[in-house]
Amino acid sequence: MSAQNKSHGRKAIRPSFKPRELITPTPDLAGVWKAKIMTLFPTAFPGILGESLTGKALQEGLWQLDTVDLRQFGIGKHRNVDDTPAGGGAGMVLRADVLGDAIEHTMAGTSGNWPLIYLSPRGRRMDQALMQNLARCDGVTLLCGRFEGVDERVLQHYGIQEVSLGDFVMTGGEIAAQAMIDATVRLIPGVLGNQASTEEESFSSGLLEHPQYTRPAEWKGQSIPDVLMSGHHGKIAEWRQKMSEEITQARRPDLWQAHQDRKTSD
């Protein structure tokens, strides 16, 4: 099927605060997973997402990306988006009125299962289960914070989920947003080309992935394990499972314990 046939009849039309171009290089495709990013740095996207397989899939219309510049919703002549923290303290906080307008503009026209997520160090940590859930959604809207964060009332009013890249603090949510999108988009059918690869990698079975090898058969005095060269698929599968278990037990005792708990409950 050609690229023209893939998108035929799928262009979605919806109201917008801004006039749309009659012809665009990336028309809005109905039924395609989409990431909407609210950020003060829209030029940071697609960034690495525009490269390799995710970039190819973006060009082919397997997923879509929209950026919304928070500055356009700023207050006054200088488009201010932040103010000092109530009660005092260092830094600045993104304003509730600015974010409210931006969220309502961004979410207009979305439908179905479409979570709204704020990238925050106090949120739940990203994991493979989260990415699998997001890949099954119709799309996702990500709010990239800056400064000291966002007004708490915004999070409560819109029921925004908070998600963290890890237990550390970054200057903003843009890198975390790209990581989340990359980990999600690669699960969309057709993006990787070989769906089996997503089923065998780390975390998909609750274990870390087994070691991988390729040519040359010997390198700097080290050889590929004999079992992988045997052609015996059953023994290869057993070896890979054993290696996954050993690596997980040694490096991630938390994952190993969860794996053991699941086996016990089964």
Side-chain angles (χ1 to χ4, degrees):
M1 181 179 289
S2 67
Q4 182 178 2
N5 289 336
K6 283 184 180 179
S7 61
H8 178 70
R10 298 165 67 189
K11 186 169 183 180
I13 301 175
R14 61 171 181 264
S16 172
F17 291 133
K18 291 187 174 182
R20 292 183 178 272
E21 298 176 10
L22 293 179
I23 300 177
T24 65
T26 54
D28 192 9
L29 302 178
V32 173
W33 191 91
K34 177 180 286 187
K36 291 173 171 280
I37 315 296
M38 293 182 287
T39 173
L40 288 170
F41 301 97
T43 56
F45 295 87
I48 192 63
L49 299 171
E51 305 296 332
S52 189
L53 294 176
T54 55
K56 182 173 181 288
L58 183 61
Q59 293 179 350
E60 292 178 349
L62 296 179
W63 71 285
Q64 292 195 290
L65 176 69
D66 279 351
T67 56
V68 175
D69 186 353
L70 290 174
R71 189 70 65 179
Q72 68 178 314
F73 302 95
I75 306 299
K77 177 181 177 181
H78 299 291
R79 297 288 184 183
N80 294 326
V81 298
D82 58 349
D83 212 326
T84 54
M92 304 291 278
V93 177
L94 289 172
R95 294 174 54 128
D97 49 358
V98 171
L99 292 177
D101 288 345
I103 289 170
E104 291 177 16
H105 166 77
T106 304
M107 296 298 289
T110 60
S111 60
N113 188 1
W114 199 294
L116 176 56
I117 294 175
Y118 168 48
L119 286 311
S120 163
R122 72 180 192 182
R124 63 162 286 190
R125 284 194 297 180
M126 297 183 193
D127 56 27
Q128 192 70 4
L130 173 64
M131 307 313 177
Q132 290 168 341
N133 288 336
L134 290 178
R136 289 191 288 266
C137 293
D138 297 290
V140 64
T141 296
L142 303 179
L143 170 60
C144 299
R146 280 275 153 177
F147 317 120
E148 294 303 308
V150 309
D151 192 303
E152 185 71 18
R153 293 170 294 181
V154 174
L155 303 178
Q156 294 176 357
H157 179 79
Y158 293 101
I160 300 175
Q161 304 175 43
E162 294 184 67
V163 177
S164 172
L165 182 59
D167 295 337
F168 49 86
V169 180
M170 303 175 71
T171 56
E174 285 75 17
I175 294 175
Q178 291 197 15
M180 175 180 283
I181 294 171
D182 180 275
T184 301
V185 165
R186 63 192 305 280
L187 299 176
I188 296 174
V191 171
L192 292 188
N194 180 7
Q195 198 63 24
S197 62
T198 65
E199 299 169 0
E200 298 174 356
E201 58 198 10
S202 291
F203 307 113
S204 294
S205 64
L207 298 173
L208 298 180
E209 189 176 21
H210 54 78
Q212 297 281 11
Y213 300 87
T214 188
R215 293 172 180 159
E218 185 172 332
W219 177 76
K220 294 187 181 296
Q222 300 183 68
S223 299
I224 295 175
D226 291 339
V227 64
L228 298 180
M229 308 295 286
S230 68
H232 193 300
H233 298 298
K235 291 182 178 180
I236 291 173
E238 290 177 3
W239 180 88
R240 287 175 170 171
Q241 178 68 20
K242 181 174 180 289
M243 290 297 100
S244 288
E245 291 177 352
E246 289 182 359
I247 290 173
T248 304
Q249 188 173 13
R251 300 183 186 180
R252 290 291 301 274
D254 56 328
L255 292 178
W256 177 250
Q257 185 59 53
H259 176 68
Q260 292 297 92
D261 292 344
R262 281 193 299 271
K263 288 173 64 175
T264 301
S265 63
D266 291 344

